[in-house]
Amino acid sequence: MPAVAQTLLIDNEEQYMLKLINEYRSQRKLSQLKVSVALTRAAEFMSTDMAVKSYFSHTDSMGRDPFVRMSAFKYDHPGQRGENLAAGFADAVRTFNQWKNSRPHNINMLGPNFNVIGISRVYRESSPHKWYWTTDFGSHVDTLILSKSEAPKKYLKKPEQYFCYRMLPTRQRRREV
């Protein structure tokens, strides 16, 4: 049973991206993705790094590929991993459609072995694309960020087994760097 964490926030648009991806997966009878703390930290780093340093690449400014970066953020479990990047759109719908219409990105969103996702979008006025999105995917279920409705029913049968619990925010949050 996965642990539940109280460390990160995902904003309304990031939550909507999760909903879009999970609805898309559901249409194909694939499992619903849960939000991983480690993968969200890795995604947050990547979106921020691209925005602050004005680049767009799967290789970050420290020379790490997505898999080395995910391991650096403590997602160093066996199994499959993947990463999608997008830039330019603030909203989840247009970003999702970019990925859906790109074969490699679409393959990641529909990866049958993926169970968790990290999601981040970051805004920087002075960067070339303004908005930067990262989704990191993994097959191993680690520490999760759950909505209030998910945690009590599915995961908190014995609350003492988990170090903390967190509710997703209901307000809009724009990470500006």
Side-chain angles (χ1 to χ4, degrees), residues 91-124:
D91 62 289
V93 172
R94 288 188 292 176
T95 303
F96 171 79
N97 286 327
Q98 277 184 312
W99 288 336
K100 189 175 174 183
N101 293 316
S102 163
R103 189 171 190 277
H105 297 97
N106 194 51
I107 288 170
N108 278 342
M109 291 194 300
L110 296 176
N113 296 317
F114 290 146
N115 298 302
V116 290
I117 188 171
I119 305 173
S120 175
R121 72 177 184 138
V122 170
Y123 177 80
R124 183 171 176 96

Side-chain angles (χ1 to χ4, degrees), residues 3-7 37 143 159-165:
V4 181
Q6 182 176 354
T7 53
V37 170
T143 304
E160 65 276 4
Q161 293 177 346
Y162 309 101
F163 60 89
C164 56
Y165 162 71

Side-chain angles (χ1 to χ4, degrees), residues 9-174:
L9 298 176
I10 62 172
D11 71 23
N12 289 344
E13 226 30 55
E14 292 162 342
Q15 290 177 54
Y16 193 55
M17 176 64 79
L18 176 64
K19 181 179 188 245
L20 291 170
I21 292 172
N22 278 336
E23 285 173 354
Y24 188 44
R25 291 174 63 85
S26 182
Q27 293 167 4
R28 283 145 182 83
K29 310 279 189 254
L30 296 169
S31 66
Q32 301 293 284
L33 301 175
K34 298 293 182 190
V35 181
S36 159
V37 170
L39 290 178
T40 297
R41 286 182 177 142
E44 179 80 17
F45 171 85
M46 189 60 185
S47 292
T48 302
D49 197 49
M50 289 188 296
V52 169
K53 297 183 177 162
S54 298
Y55 72 94
F56 186 76
S57 170
H58 285 283
T59 302
D60 67 28
S61 65
M62 298 170 69
R64 301 177 297 189
D65 68 32
F67 314 108
V68 171
R69 184 174 48 261
M70 288 177 209
S71 292
F73 282 89
K74 307 299 184 214
Y75 192 83
D76 51 1
H77 309 286
Q80 294 184 341
R81 302 180 208 184
E83 180 175 80
N84 285 354
L85 302 178
F89 295 125
D91 62 289
V93 172
R94 288 188 292 176
T95 303
F96 171 79
N97 286 327
Q98 277 184 312
W99 288 336
K100 189 175 174 183
N101 293 316
S102 163
R103 189 171 190 277
H105 297 97
N106 194 51
I107 288 170
N108 278 342
M109 291 194 300
L110 296 176
N113 296 317
F114 290 146
N115 298 302
V116 290
I117 188 171
I119 305 173
S120 175
R121 72 177 184 138
V122 170
Y123 177 80
R124 183 171 176 96
E125 177 64 34
S126 63
S127 67
H129 302 290
K130 311 283 188 239
W131 288 97
Y132 295 82
W133 285 82
T134 304
T135 51
D136 287 332
F137 300 87
S139 57
H140 177 83
V141 179
D142 60 341
T143 304
L144 300 176
I145 300 172
L146 301 175
S147 69
K148 182 179 178 181
S149 62
E150 290 173 305
K153 292 184 235 170
K154 282 186 136 177
Y155 295 102
L156 297 181
K157 292 178 182 169
K158 293 182 180 176
E160 65 276 4
Q161 293 177 346
Y162 309 101
F163 60 89
C164 56
Y165 162 71
R166 167 194 182 296
M167 294 186 289
L168 294 177
T170 56
R171 62 179 166 71
Q172 178 69 28
R173 181 176 60 96
R174 176 169 122 173

